[in-house]
């Protein structure tokens, strides 16, 4: 059995400067202020419309990411309806095959729940989780069934890959909900990884989200 960490990768996004110029051009149609466009006006314009809550303008651009996380978390991700999803299928993926190293891969629970493995209580929780994962893997192989049958014993912690495309407004909504302190710890772990990437690549659209 393999234990891995969650990760996020941006796989499709327009050039930042091109994106903000497009958003400004579209947004200024609403105010008929196209004559105010300059080389430096795009970020200022976008910052102002976001402050006013005029977020429909930024729906004209989208970003696609690949998230590696556990299957339990993807059940929360796909609740965001204004998006497109493509996910690794346990119905067709045979984890007992060579392609997957003849093992299942699970997402490490310790990071999302901030386990301190030097703490006896946290260590006991982690060891109990590891035993559950190992038993799930053992049962999956012992079934000797087709992937769509055998997946019934796979755990929520199973590593999966999901590709998500959302427009910028939907991403802002996603981060507000999923980076919040009340979000599921593992959901928040993945969302914060993604938010850090978005802040670096698309600062004007996401710098105001904590």
């Amino acid at each position: 059995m393999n234990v891995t960490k969650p990760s996020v990768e941006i796989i499709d996004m327009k050039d930042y400067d091109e994106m903000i110029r497009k958003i400004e051009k579209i947004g200024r149609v609403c105010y008929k202020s196209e004559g105010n466009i300059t080389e430096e006006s795009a970020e200022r314009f976008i910052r102002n419309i976001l402050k006013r809550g005029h977020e429909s303008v930024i729906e004209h651009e989208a970003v696609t990411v690949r998230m590696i996380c556990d299957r339990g978390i993807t059940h929360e991700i796909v609740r965001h309806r204004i998006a497109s999803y493509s996910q690794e299928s346990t119905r067709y993926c045979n984890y007992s095959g060579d392609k997957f190293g003849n093992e299942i891969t699970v997402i490490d629970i310790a990071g999302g729940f901030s386990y301190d493995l030097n703490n006896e209580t946290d260590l006991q929780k982690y060891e109990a989780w590891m035993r559950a994962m190992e038993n799930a893997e053992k049962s999956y192989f012992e079934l000797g069934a087709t992937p769509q049958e055998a997946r019934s014993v796979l755990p929520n912690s199973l590593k999966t890959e999901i590709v998500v495309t959302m427009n910028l407004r939907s991403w802002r909504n996603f981060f507000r909900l999923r980076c919040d302190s009340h979000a599921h710890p593992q959901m928040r772990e993945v969302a914060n990884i993604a938010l850090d990437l978005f802040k670096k690549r698309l600062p004007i659209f996401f710098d105001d989200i904590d």
Side-chain angles (χ1 to χ4, degrees):
M1 185 186 71
N2 183 35
V3 180
T4 192
K5 302 288 187 184
S7 62
V8 178
E9 174 192 6
I10 295 175
I11 62 174
D12 187 57
M13 187 191 80
K14 186 176 288 184
D15 173 77
Y16 177 64
D17 289 333
E18 182 182 354
M19 184 184 292
I20 63 174
R21 285 196 297 270
K22 174 183 172 181
I23 294 294
E24 180 189 22
K25 185 175 181 180
I26 292 168
R28 286 192 181 277
V29 169
C30 302
Y31 309 100
K32 299 311 298 173
S33 61
E34 294 94 331
N36 294 334
I37 294 175
T38 68
E39 286 295 320
E40 291 80 31
S41 62
E43 286 193 338
R44 183 173 63 252
F45 174 79
I46 293 168
R47 185 175 291 109
N48 286 336
I49 64 171
L50 292 179
K51 283 182 180 178
R52 293 198 296 270
H54 189 186
E55 295 193 356
S56 62
V57 176
I58 66 174
E59 291 178 11
H60 291 281
E61 281 295 344
V63 177
T64 300
V65 305
R66 177 190 288 117
M67 296 180 174
I68 295 178
C69 57
D70 69 44
R71 287 194 69 86
I73 294 308
T74 63
H75 299 331
E76 297 192 22
I77 293 172
V78 298
R79 292 178 187 168
H80 294 265
R81 301 313 309 154
I82 306 177
S84 299
Y85 303 102
S86 298
Q87 185 174 3
E88 178 181 327
S89 172
T90 54
R91 185 180 179 195
Y92 298 107
C93 293
N94 185 350
Y95 298 108
S96 62
D98 292 340
K99 182 190 293 187
F100 299 96
N102 303 291
E103 64 182 353
I104 69 169
T105 296
V106 296
I107 298 295
D108 197 343
I109 197 175
F113 286 95
S114 301
Y115 284 173
D116 176 4
L117 299 185
N118 293 314
N119 176 279
E120 185 176 349
T121 300
D122 283 354
L123 181 60
Q124 288 175 351
K125 291 179 184 177
Y126 190 73
E127 289 175 342
W129 173 79
M130 282 291 293
R131 287 193 297 272
M133 297 304 101
E134 289 165 353
N135 288 335
E137 181 182 60
K138 182 180 178 182
S139 297
Y140 182 85
F141 293 142
E142 286 181 348
L143 273 172
T146 61
Q148 65 179 356
E149 295 174 272
R151 72 175 182 174
S152 62
V153 300
L154 290 172
N156 270 346
S157 291
L158 182 76
K159 168 260 176 190
T160 191
E161 296 188 23
I162 186 168
V163 175
V164 183
T165 301
M166 295 188 199
N167 67 53
L168 296 180
R169 186 182 193 181
S170 292
W171 278 118
R172 283 174 62 84
N173 178 63
F174 175 85
F175 291 131
R176 286 189 186 115
L177 293 175
R178 301 308 183 179
C179 295
D180 185 81
S181 60
H182 296 95
H184 186 283
Q186 288 177 288
M187 179 74 263
R188 193 167 64 245
E189 181 183 21
V190 173
N192 279 324
I193 293 171
L195 179 58
D196 286 344
L197 283 176
F198 277 55
K199 284 186 172 185
K200 289 175 184 175
R201 302 281 295 276
L202 300 167
I204 193 62
F205 299 105
F206 299 99
D207 269 353
D208 62 324
I209 300 175
D210 296 324

